[in-house]
Amino acid sequence: MDCVEELERLALNAAEETPSLDQAPSADEIARWTHLFHYSPSTATALIQQQRNDPTRKKVSKAHWAAVHARWECAGYDHLAYEHELFILRLSGPLSTPSQLQSAAGLSAPPTIFAGEGSHGPAHFCIVDAPTRHSLSRWLAHSHPAFRPTFIHYFPAAKNLSRTSVHPTLGIDATLPQHRLDDCAQEPLPRQDQYPVWYFFYGTLCDPAVLAAQLGVARDTPLGLQDARVRGGVLKTWARRYKALVDEPPGRGGGGVVDGKAYAVRSAEEEEALRGYETGAYEVVRCEIELRGGKEAVKGCTFRFQGLGRELS
């Protein structure tokens, strides 16, 4: 991007911000972001303030918002939330490298690229926001009108671990008396923002190569995966292809045992990558993970399917 253009954009963004930098997000704004993006209230508050206070971000023009607002407002978005909307873009054609994306969208830095599985094998992806998607679409319409990029809504697995109850926990109804906390001051583990945190995997993330790709590290990087199991759940199949962990049916008394792998997630960034990989079809829940053949137990998390039971087989 031209230096003068970048300085002009910074000045314009700063001038157009109407809320005071010290103004806290309203309850309605926080509720909107927790609903749309599955953030916790504290995370939503921090991200709204961060987005408002960042003059370097690309903004959706008033003309563009005027053209699309009717459809997006019906879905619960306002201008700021729309700018935060994220998409996964598969790299291909004239948008095959980070530098091509940076140039086409006028970004101040190349986007972060991550590896994954496409419909025809290994592929590379990046996450872009609504303004960047709009810029790329305009550039393609002018320079490569025949090319159709693949944009998919970025809808990560929800994570909302309660501070005042064990909800959500695999195989446990937190409303039952026997599962209520004895001490109101006691915060169940793991906490929402606790790192490192153990995660139990039961599907493709058990493969070290797949896990390494999602974490953005070399395939031969030692990850410390351990054999593990959890209780209180059963495995089903979703969409005839994907493994889906669900609570065991009532009356089985905790007899459901699922074998898999355990990994110590080191940071929020690693966790975000894994939540994006699992998608919003799943949610992060607490669980007790048995390691070393049941000789050791740790408090951790796993991904529980949150779709409809009729979607499973």
Side-chain angles (χ1 to χ4, degrees), residues 68-266:
V68 303
H69 77 92
R71 177 168 64 90
W72 286 89
E73 284 180 346
C74 286
Y77 289 77
D78 63 2
H79 196 148
L80 194 69
Y82 175 70
E83 287 184 344
H84 188 74
E85 183 72 12
L86 300 177
F87 301 87
I88 296 175
L89 168 65
R90 177 176 179 173
L91 275 62
S92 61
L95 301 176
S96 295
T97 67
S99 58
Q100 288 175 333
L101 284 165
Q102 180 184 7
S103 176
L107 302 175
S108 58
T112 300
I113 306 301
F114 59 93
E117 290 291 324
S119 56
H120 301 292
H124 289 85
F125 304 86
C126 71
I127 296 175
V128 300
D129 56 18
T132 300
R133 177 184 178 178
H134 180 57
S135 296
L136 291 173
S137 298
R138 290 181 60 187
W139 180 81
L140 288 170
H142 180 266
S143 302
H144 300 274
F147 179 74
R148 295 292 182 268
T150 301
F151 288 103
I152 303 172
H153 266 96
Y154 175 63
F155 186 32
K159 184 188 181 187
N160 295 293
L161 305 184
S162 173
R163 297 180 57 185
T164 58
S165 77
V166 297
H167 176 79
T169 297
L170 180 68
I172 287 180
D173 182 351
T175 64
L176 297 179
Q178 63 266 34
H179 299 310
R180 294 174 186 168
L181 300 177
D182 296 329
D183 183 357
C184 294
Q186 174 188 1
E187 184 172 355
L189 299 177
R191 298 183 298 274
Q192 174 78 9
D193 57 354
Q194 176 181 326
Y195 304 100
V197 58
W198 283 99
Y199 262 77
F200 174 78
F201 303 142
Y202 52 86
T204 52
L205 288 175
C206 292
D207 183 339
V210 174
L211 180 57
Q214 301 314 308
L215 299 177
V217 299
R219 291 170 64 96
D220 58 353
T221 301
L223 298 174
L225 275 173
Q226 298 190 33
D227 292 332
R229 64 176 48 161
V230 294
R231 299 181 184 273
V234 293
L235 278 184
K236 300 286 187 176
T237 301
W238 174 50
R240 302 181 181 179
R241 178 178 178 184
Y242 304 104
K243 291 184 178 180
L245 179 65
V246 297
D247 291 340
E248 64 176 337
R252 290 185 51 174
V257 177
V258 178
D259 292 313
K261 299 287 186 179
Y263 170 73
V265 173
R266 297 170 294 180

Side-chain angles (χ1 to χ4, degrees), residues 51-63:
Q51 185 164 325
R52 280 178 176 169
N53 299 349
D54 180 10
T56 66
R57 80 176 193 270
K58 289 181 67 67
K59 294 189 65 179
V60 171
S61 68
K62 292 181 179 179

